[in-house]
Amino acid sequence: MKGALISSAGANHVILSKQILIVLVVIALCAAFLFYHTEEAKVAQSLRNKEHVSEQNERLKAANKELYDARAAAKDGIVSLEDAVTDFDVSHNVSTITKDIVVTLRQQITDVHAAFAKHEASLDAKTAILDAKEDILIALQNQLSDKTILVRSMEARVIALNGTLPPKSSYDHSVLPEDDDMFW
């Protein structure tokens, strides 16, 4: 019995060796194809990652530049403010402030606070007065509404009793509401 890849001698041996060689070459080609395909996918992924990272780096560089610019602007603002304060001090002789000036300024601040408190108290009193007047107006409106209902019920009774009413006044009653809604 002969095996498929084993021969005992001669011309068959060469043929079987060719078959083994063909199988080995096919296996090598498949391995090379798989290696190439895997490496190509890794290279493509690496390029995509590189593009993503470079975009992110550009955004970070832009943000850092904005922060450095803002920091420089803030430093310039602080320097200009310090210069302005120094110029003010020099031009107004701030270093010669006396206790009398400090006492005067404190008194003026106290006077301003007192004026604010007085004005606030006045506003509170006016608010309380307005609230009381509003309550009175609401009470008067309710009384007027009650009297209107009473007059209408008396009118209905008089008509029911004898069927006649006194002559109406010349006042235009169309301005009065038909229901009890408050109108003002």
Side-chain angles (χ1 to χ4, degrees):
M1 193 176 215
K2 291 184 178 180
L5 299 177
I6 300 173
S7 69
S8 59
N12 289 339
H13 179 70
V14 174
I15 292 172
L16 291 179
S17 294
K18 286 181 184 177
Q19 288 176 352
I20 289 175
L21 185 63
I22 291 172
V23 168
L24 292 176
V25 168
V26 169
I27 290 175
L29 287 175
C30 288
F33 174 75
L34 289 175
F35 176 77
Y36 175 77
H37 182 67
T38 304
E39 288 300 314
E40 187 66 27
K42 287 181 180 179
V43 167
Q45 181 65 34
S46 176
L47 289 175
R48 284 192 299 269
N49 288 343
K50 177 187 168 195
E51 290 173 6
H52 175 70
V53 168
S54 64
E55 289 173 5
Q56 188 174 7
N57 283 343
E58 292 300 320
R59 286 194 302 266
L60 287 174
K61 285 179 185 177
N64 281 343
K65 184 178 181 330
E66 289 177 10
L67 289 174
Y68 282 122
D69 292 346
R71 183 177 172 189
K75 281 184 181 178
D76 292 343
I78 290 172
V79 168
S80 65
L81 183 62
E82 288 173 349
D83 291 343
V85 168
T86 304
D87 292 344
F88 179 81
D89 289 349
V90 169
S91 66
H92 289 88
N93 293 328
V94 173
S95 61
T96 60
I97 292 179
T98 63
K99 287 186 178 182
D100 295 335
I101 293 174
V102 172
V103 168
T104 305
L105 289 175
R106 285 187 179 161
Q107 182 60 41
Q108 289 174 351
I109 290 172
T110 305
D111 293 344
V112 168
H113 283 292
F116 279 136
K118 182 179 176 182
H119 182 67
E120 185 177 2
S122 172
L123 287 177
D124 289 343
K126 287 178 182 178
T127 302
I129 291 170
L130 286 175
D131 289 343
K133 286 183 179 181
E134 185 176 345
D135 293 342
I136 290 170
L137 284 175
I138 289 172
L140 289 173
Q141 180 65 31
N142 289 336
Q143 288 176 3
L144 181 62
S145 176
D146 292 343
K147 287 180 182 180
T148 302
I149 292 170
L150 179 65
V151 168
R152 288 184 182 155
S153 67
M154 288 173 54
E155 179 183 357
R157 270 194 198 161
V158 168
I159 290 175
L161 290 176
N162 65 2
T164 62
L165 288 176
K168 290 191 175 187
S169 67
S170 62
Y171 180 75
D172 183 16
H173 293 285
S174 64
V175 295
L176 292 176
E178 290 299 319
D179 56 1
D180 291 334
D181 288 342
M182 295 197 301
F183 65 101
W184 45 344

